[in-house]
Amino acid sequence: MQFGNIYYGLRHGISEANVQNIIVSNPADGVAGYGLAPAGRADLYSTLPSLTLPDNLCVLTSDFLRAKQTAELLCTLHDLPPPCVDARLRERYFGDFEKQDICNYAQKVWADDSQQLTRHNVEGCMEVRARLCQLLDELEAQHKVRHFLFVSHGDTLQILQTIFASIPPHLHRSVPHFAPGEFRRLTAPSQL
């Protein structure tokens, strides 16, 4: 896929769910709850101001509270317009593992992903990729040479990177992981 715009990713800061070591992926839980933890907010206050951001940056964020709070803080610190909320950037739905221990990511979900399996009511990699492709297609059709920053979640950003790397989404664990609060440009395979 060729892009006329430039894209960046920013993973939300450390959240209350991260501190509790639980998975929060259901919009019923994550849109209004499990926002940034005090440590996450403090980390963002120390790292976000030093970011060098491009001109004409448009910030789009997941509708989950932890991502919205991260995006709002970034926009405030850099005197940017408020972020636009887009549910297609939301957390991957982890189904039966909701509010369960985070060990289920690696032991069950990512193990299944690598085998191209979707079980336990988890949102499949292809489903996540489809919603992200839809968003990218819309932005590409409406804008040219614009800079977009997506504030999102670990798996969502991993799967998003597979689009830029032109690799199947079930290989999302093979691309560089976004740490909480990490900002980076989304690039083609030779630039990863």
Side-chain angles (χ1 to χ4, degrees), residues 68-141:
K68 281 185 6 187
Q69 289 173 330
T70 300
E72 290 166 353
L73 183 56
L74 173 84
C75 290
T76 298
L77 291 171
H78 285 273
D79 198 28
L80 297 169
C84 299
V85 175
D86 195 306
R88 291 171 291 192
L89 292 169
R90 70 173 34 154
E91 178 68 278
R92 179 184 185 187
Y93 181 64
F94 290 102
D96 297 345
F97 301 117
E98 182 71 7
K99 295 190 180 172
Q100 301 299 312
D101 193 280
I102 60 170
C103 70
N104 288 298
Y105 287 135
Q107 293 175 359
K108 303 211 172 106
V109 177
W110 297 336
D112 283 353
D113 287 349
S114 69
Q115 300 298 313
Q116 300 183 56
L117 299 173
T118 302
R119 301 185 295 176
H120 310 288
N121 298 305
V122 171
E123 182 181 17
C125 295
M126 288 299 291
E127 294 172 271
V128 177
R129 186 178 176 126
R131 62 177 154 99
L132 294 169
C133 282
Q134 181 186 48
L135 174 59
L136 287 168
D137 288 346
E138 285 179 18
L139 294 174
E140 288 295 306

Side-chain angles (χ1 to χ4, degrees), residues 2 13 49 63 66 74 90-91 97 100 155 164 178 191:
Q2 294 289 339
D63 57 346
R66 57 195 181 254
L74 173 84
R90 70 173 34 154
E91 178 68 278
F97 301 117
Q100 301 299 312
D155 265 38
F164 287 84
F178 273 84
Q191 299 169 318

Side-chain angles (χ1 to χ4, degrees), residues 4-5 19-20 26 29 43 50 52 68 83 88 98 111 121 129 132 144 150 152 158 174:
N5 297 302
V19 170
Q20 295 175 39
N26 188 330
D29 298 317
D43 285 350
S50 64
T52 301
K68 281 185 6 187
R88 291 171 291 192
E98 182 71 7
N121 298 305
R129 186 178 176 126
L132 294 169
K144 292 294 175 228
F150 297 146
S152 192
Q158 293 289 122
S174 69

